[in-house]
Amino acid sequence: VFLCTYIFKGKIWGETFVDALIAAHKRGVDVRVIVDWLGTALYFTRPWKRLRKAGIKVYRFTPPRLFPPMLSINLRMHRKGLVCAHTGFTGGMNVSDGHVLECPDVNHIQDLHFVCRGPVVTELREAFLMDWTFVTNKDDGCPLVIPPVEGEMDCRVVLDGPGSPIDPLQDLLCGVFSCAQKRITVLTPYFLPPREMISSLVSAAARGVDV
């Protein structure tokens, strides 16, 4: 079980996740967790700390340190991914009560999350292991197992971030915008498009695409 998340909190669902992860660990499952330092430091409820007491490997992404000195505010781990054997989950949902409509007395967040099966789960696992190597400074991989093909939807993982000398996500989106013929719909909480992406959207609108 590989879990990475920006926020890991919640008196109800945060604790529920912790109980399930500890139960898996006690069954002999290889459980690894990455939480973002800033995303978890902002909240008083930190149920993920129970995982360490249970012997589960938990690492924080770019926490501040004195020796050698490091304080990185902008380099954050916003990936939300969970890989359980041959099933993967990814999208925008953090581990928090606010993402569960049944939880009372919280400000709910509307988000999208996907369940994935098939070979793409291997890509989600490899993405996690790359981050795991970064936070642990150890190449602690595991045997490569590719799940059988399921469903009819083509899917792939596109990795992007400050460690890449190119910008694959921007290039991919600009290419998709350039090929659109009828409609482009963007749904995002953050919209700070670079000039190249703005040009692609304006060009699409100029040729009659509904943007």
Side-chain angles (χ1 to χ4, degrees):
V1 176
F2 298 159
L3 171 65
C4 62
T5 182
Y6 179 70
I7 296 172
F8 196 142
K9 69 181 183 71
K11 295 181 179 179
I12 299 177
W13 285 100
E15 296 291 346
T16 300
F17 260 78
V18 169
D19 291 340
L21 292 170
I22 291 176
H25 174 68
K26 290 181 177 179
R27 296 195 305 269
V29 175
D30 179 11
V31 179
R32 309 183 195 183
V33 178
I34 302 174
V35 297
D36 187 76
W37 165 72
L38 186 61
T40 53
L42 297 175
Y43 302 97
F44 293 107
T45 58
R46 300 173 185 176
W48 54 272
K49 286 192 172 183
R50 285 178 48 210
L51 299 174
R52 286 179 171 172
K53 295 180 180 179
I56 294 175
K57 301 175 184 177
V58 180
Y59 284 84
R60 294 185 299 167
F61 189 87
T62 61
R65 63 174 181 243
L66 294 177
F67 302 102
M70 184 186 75
L71 178 60
S72 178
I73 300 298
N74 290 328
L75 182 56
R76 306 273 41 96
M77 203 272 300
H78 277 281
R79 291 174 182 164
K80 293 95 177 177
L82 173 62
V83 177
C84 300
H86 293 341
T87 303
F89 303 85
T90 188
M93 293 179 66
N94 291 285
V95 179
S96 73
D97 293 347
H99 278 105
V100 183
L101 294 178
E102 289 80 3
C103 287
D105 303 326
V106 295
N107 295 322
H108 292 109
I109 303 166
Q110 179 155 323
D111 225 323
L112 291 174
H113 221 61
F114 301 88
V115 57
C116 305
R117 296 184 179 91
V120 71
V121 177
T122 301
E123 297 184 43
L124 291 173
R125 185 181 66 167
E126 293 303 307
F128 175 89
L129 290 174
M130 288 177 58
D131 291 334
W132 187 258
T133 300
F134 177 80
V135 298
T136 64
N137 289 320
K138 298 177 182 178
D139 188 7
D140 188 12
C142 52
L144 177 64
V145 178
I146 301 178
V149 175
E150 292 191 34
E152 299 178 352
M153 180 179 292
D154 295 328
C155 187
R156 65 169 171 164
V157 173
V158 179
L159 292 177
D160 200 354
S164 175
I166 58 177
D167 199 340
L169 188 58
Q170 174 182 302
D171 295 343
L172 176 65
L173 291 176
C174 288
V176 171
F177 295 158
S178 298
C179 295
Q181 299 179 2
K182 294 182 180 180
R183 183 179 298 109
I184 297 173
T185 303
V186 179
L187 176 65
T188 174
Y190 310 109
F191 192 61
L192 300 171
R195 181 174 300 177
E196 294 83 358
M197 195 172 295
I198 293 176
S199 298
S200 297
L201 291 171
V202 171
S203 176
R207 66 175 186 270
V209 176
D210 180 13
V211 179

